[in-house]
Amino acid sequence: MTKRMVGKQFFISVLVLIVLISFNACSPSTATRPTGANPTLTGRITVSGAWALYPMMVKWAEEFQKINPGVRIDVSAGGAGKGMADALGGLADIGMVSREVFPVEIEKGAFYVPSVIDAVVATASAGNPLKNDLLANGINRQVFVEIWISGKITNWKEVFPGAKAIGKTDLHIFTRSDAAGAPETWAAYMGQKQEDLLGIGVYGDPGLAEAVRRDHLGIGFSNIGYIYDVKTRKQVEGLLVIPIDVNANGKIDPEEDFYGTLDELNKAIGTGTYPSPPARELNLVTLREFKGATKEFVKWILTDGQKYAPEAGYIPLSKTKVDSQLPKLK
């Protein structure tokens, strides 16, 4: 082989190498691409609904947009009722619904998948005059019924007849004024519907939690995301979670005492020790089927997005549950 031919062959080899390097530099390997990332995915996704799911959805939206910069996700809260109405009316791509989806809604075209698990808890002010009795004895389901449903109990001394308290002990009952998953779930625990709940109506989870915090004689209920601080994992200052006396023996047994931190409560929810309801799955709803960028977002939520649930204060779905839902998104 002549020197001229060798030089020509060398030149061609170098040229091919340069082209390959340039191609690789411009086309990142899918092996190094984060799960769920798609450089060509574009679109705008609107999400509306449950206060219970709002903090989790904001986190999901932030993380998904980081790996899919061509997608814009707008999230707003307003209650599960609004989320369902917006989804069925085509005003939102995803409705956040923190309760079961009713058959009549499915007949209207509601298509849904669960996303994470959380719960509703009964609340009182940390300044409640019978705070020690609440923590030691809790309240059982029947007493909750007599507070929120029948109205038979109107005084804290009727909850704890043998307790000692100084001053007024009138019971100030609060509920939600908006159609929402938390009141529907809390009512379901007592075998009723939201419209059956007695009490002063307050709009939204933040509003109800604040109303109870400010009223030393108040009693209410809220999604756990508004009662526990996700950073400290402790109950929000000024609020008190009322333990449920599940076995109705008049005291909180060691196996019922799991409200100290968010992680303790979530463990109890995950194992079924905390009753369901008021523990429940939080659903993502759309009209007939998830499409385009919305479908890819929901797929990501069910898979890689589950890893963000614990830090945000929620419980991930089981692998069995996820595997049963993914085929609905093909």
Side-chain angles (χ1 to χ4, degrees), residues 3 9 29 51 66 76 140 150 307:
K3 291 182 179 180
Q9 196 172 43
S29 169
W51 289 95
K66 286 178 184 177
S76 63
N140 65 52
S150 71
K307 69 184 180 184

Side-chain angles (χ1 to χ4, degrees), residues 114-292:
S115 58
V116 284
I117 299 168
D118 85 335
V120 178
V121 292
T123 59
S125 167
N128 188 288
L130 297 176
K131 174 181 177 179
N132 292 336
D133 297 279
L134 279 170
L135 293 177
N137 304 318
I139 296 179
N140 65 52
R141 180 181 176 278
Q142 182 55 37
V143 172
F144 284 132
V145 169
E146 293 176 359
I147 292 172
W148 265 287
I149 306 301
S150 71
K152 181 179 178 180
I153 292 178
T154 60
N155 194 291
W156 282 104
K157 287 297 294 286
E158 295 171 329
V159 179
F160 304 109
K164 295 181 180 180
I166 299 173
K168 293 183 178 181
T169 55
D170 295 339
L171 188 59
H172 300 164
I173 307 167
F174 291 95
T175 185
R176 288 278 288 276
S177 62
D178 50 320
E184 191 66 46
T185 301
W186 186 242
Y189 170 57
M190 295 177 281
Q192 303 295 324
K193 297 288 187 181
Q194 176 177 352
E195 53 266 31
D196 300 314
L197 294 174
L198 300 174
I200 301 168
V202 182
Y203 176 78
D205 246 310
L208 182 50
E210 181 62 13
V212 173
R213 189 183 72 82
R214 289 175 174 269
D215 189 339
H216 289 180
L217 298 177
I219 188 170
F221 54 83
S222 285
N223 298 299
I224 57 176
Y226 295 88
I227 305 304
Y228 288 85
D229 186 316
V230 295
K231 293 182 179 178
T232 66
R233 319 301 277 188
K234 297 179 180 179
Q235 295 176 25
V236 172
E237 186 176 354
L239 280 170
L240 174 71
V241 175
I242 300 174
I244 295 180
D245 177 14
V246 178
N247 60 15
N249 67 348
K251 62 180 181 179
I252 295 301
D253 298 314
E255 61 270 21
E256 297 173 318
D257 188 11
F258 41 69
Y259 299 90
T261 67
L262 178 57
D263 297 313
E264 288 179 80
L265 177 55
N266 278 347
K267 182 179 179 181
I269 295 169
T271 60
T273 307
Y274 186 79
S276 177
R280 61 352 188 358
E281 293 178 344
L282 306 180
N283 296 304
L284 307 180
V285 180
T286 195
L287 182 62
R288 297 190 179 87
E289 64 176 329
F290 293 106
K291 301 177 181 178

Side-chain angles (χ1 to χ4, degrees), residues 36 38-47 61 64-75 93-94 291-297:
N38 183 348
T40 65
L41 188 64
T42 60
R44 179 172 178 261
I45 301 171
T46 54
V47 186
F64 190 76
Q65 287 174 123
K66 286 178 184 177
I67 59 176
N68 294 282
V71 177
R72 175 185 171 186
I73 304 174
D74 298 323
V75 185
D93 299 300
I94 299 174
K291 301 177 181 178
T294 302
K295 180 166 73 172
E296 296 308 310
F297 180 41

